[in-house]
Amino acid sequence: MKMICTACKATFEGAQLRCVSCSGPLDVMPLTEGTIRRGDKPGASILERYLDFLPLDRVNTALALGEGNTPLLPSGKLAEVSGIGKLFFKNEAQNPTWSFKDRGTAVGVQYAAAHGYKRIGAVSTGNMAASVAAYGARAGMDTFIFVSDRIDVEKVSPIAIYGPHLFKVAGDYSQLYFETLKIGAENDIFFINSDVPLRVEGSKTIAFEICEQLSFDAPDYVVVPTSAGGNFRGIAKGFMEFHKLGFINKMPHMVCAQAAGCSPIHNAFSQGKSVVERVEHPDTIAHAINNPFPPSGNAVLSILGEYNGVSVSVTDEEMIRAQKMLAEEGLFVQPDSAVTLAATIKLGQDGLMEKDASVVCVLTGSGLKFTKALELHDIKSHNVGIGEVGKYISKQFG
């Protein structure tokens, strides 16, 4: 497998995690050919379907958990609210551990197992931790998970239930990412962190599925909640490769959506900078995208510049309103996922998206991942005795 640095363009052989020259994030070298494997086996693995586009020689289906094949759902109501033509939601909450992270984890575990690793690991605020712990358990691997000691209490048990070695680490969370690169090398642990190349490769399959679900008519915009930047890079790369290979006739405009309380990429983009700067005091309810110094931030900025993308930040209040609006469409997602709808509404109503535009919002995780956010909603219920239910309904609802 050959890799290229997104920053200095140095190339490497093998599964490097960062550039040894400049510490920049790496990409697997772009494809020059590939074919979608259209087998008719029900529930076929997405890794088998897109094997030509992934850095894997084969797929061990025993390690899979049914990742991918998530729905793309239209909403005429929310398109109208946003002032655009068509609006779709790619619901990644329907992955095995309820988030998009399972795609990258699946690719990383396949590669690790094929190359003899017995240990895997990840640094995460929640979603990726649960994903790596689940897939590690499935593969029978010794799994090491590092989280911030400030992690919300309700996120700990859904990680620990899979039986990993779980560490709550005090200190700078963004520095912990780089620390694990040394830990992994010293202890033979294959880390599948947020923006490592194999995780980025897994995220490409989101773009591949969107293209197929839209009959290869690429949307005008794709809105992605952005933290470390790996998922954004992967989705963009998926569209780039399908465009290069002629599966689609245009590249969508990529939209980086961030929380106003922690928006290092948006800050740099809006100021015309090519390098992100650390957010010193992040403050947002969107914990899953609360990364003050994203390791792939500069690479995201480069993609935005090269492909005429845009960034937007929204407040916690706007996210919570969007979360409620999505719930009223039957989609209960994290505030971090609702950032995409809030961003689309802002861009559409401000006239920054065309009125006939087609837009796909990527919903990255389930609302069940962070139920504490429900305290910010006006949740209503009715108290009534069993013998009075019929009369109550007739009186209140006619």
Side-chain angles (χ1 to χ4, degrees), residues 47 54-56 102-112 198 201-202:
L47 303 188
L54 300 171
L56 303 172
D102 293 338
R103 295 175 183 268
T105 301
V107 174
V109 168
Q110 290 283 340
Y111 185 92
L198 291 166
E201 292 297 293

Side-chain angles (χ1 to χ4, degrees), residues 117-153:
Y117 283 91
K118 305 299 182 185
R119 296 174 166 184
I120 59 172
V123 175
S124 172
T125 57
N127 285 338
M128 185 166 56
S131 179
V132 173
Y135 279 80
R138 178 74 171 177
M141 291 180 167
D142 221 8
T143 305
F144 297 80
I145 302 295
F146 298 82
V147 300
S148 168
D149 64 343
R150 297 186 298 277
I151 188 173
D152 199 85
V153 173

Side-chain angles (χ1 to χ4, degrees), residues 15-20 23-26 121-123 146 174-197 295:
Q16 299 281 342
L17 299 182
R18 303 289 288 192
C19 177
V20 297
S23 294
L26 300 177
V123 175
F146 298 82
S174 58
Q175 182 57 36
L176 182 58
Y177 171 103
F178 294 98
E179 189 64 27
T180 59
L181 300 184
K182 293 187 290 183
I183 294 169
E186 293 167 357
N187 296 277
D188 202 29
I189 303 171
F190 189 79
F191 274 90
I192 315 172
N193 284 344
S194 53
D195 70 337
V196 297

Side-chain angles (χ1 to χ4, degrees), residues 248-271:
I248 55 176
N249 61 12
K250 68 179 180 183
M251 266 292 293
H253 300 289
M254 298 295 298
V255 181
C256 164
Q258 295 201 294
C262 186
S263 53
I265 298 172
H266 174 70
N267 293 346
F269 181 87
S270 62
Q271 296 168 25

Side-chain angles (χ1 to χ4, degrees), residues 28-38 46-56 107 200-202 204-205 208 212 216 237-238 241-247:
V28 175
M29 194 68 78
L31 291 167
T32 57
E33 60 181 358
T35 302
I36 298 171
R37 302 188 179 192
R38 302 181 183 276
I46 59 164
L47 303 188
E48 292 178 297
R49 185 170 182 79
Y50 300 123
L51 185 59
D52 280 5
F53 305 94
L54 300 171
L56 303 172
V107 174
V200 170
E201 292 297 293
K204 292 194 313 188
T205 63
F208 297 162
E212 291 209 67
F216 297 97
K237 187 179 181 187
E241 290 185 348
F242 265 25
H243 184 229
K244 181 178 180 179
L245 297 175
F247 288 102

Side-chain angles (χ1 to χ4, degrees), residues 29-83:
M29 194 68 78
L31 291 167
T32 57
E33 60 181 358
T35 302
I36 298 171
R37 302 188 179 192
R38 302 181 183 276
D40 58 3
K41 183 170 63 176
S45 163
I46 59 164
L47 303 188
E48 292 178 297
R49 185 170 182 79
Y50 300 123
L51 185 59
D52 280 5
F53 305 94
L54 300 171
L56 303 172
D57 295 324
R58 67 182 188 88
V59 176
N60 181 351
T61 56
L63 305 183
L65 286 171
E67 58 281 343
N69 293 311
T70 60
L72 184 69
L73 304 170
S75 175
K77 174 184 173 182
L78 294 179
E80 185 175 353
V81 170
S82 304

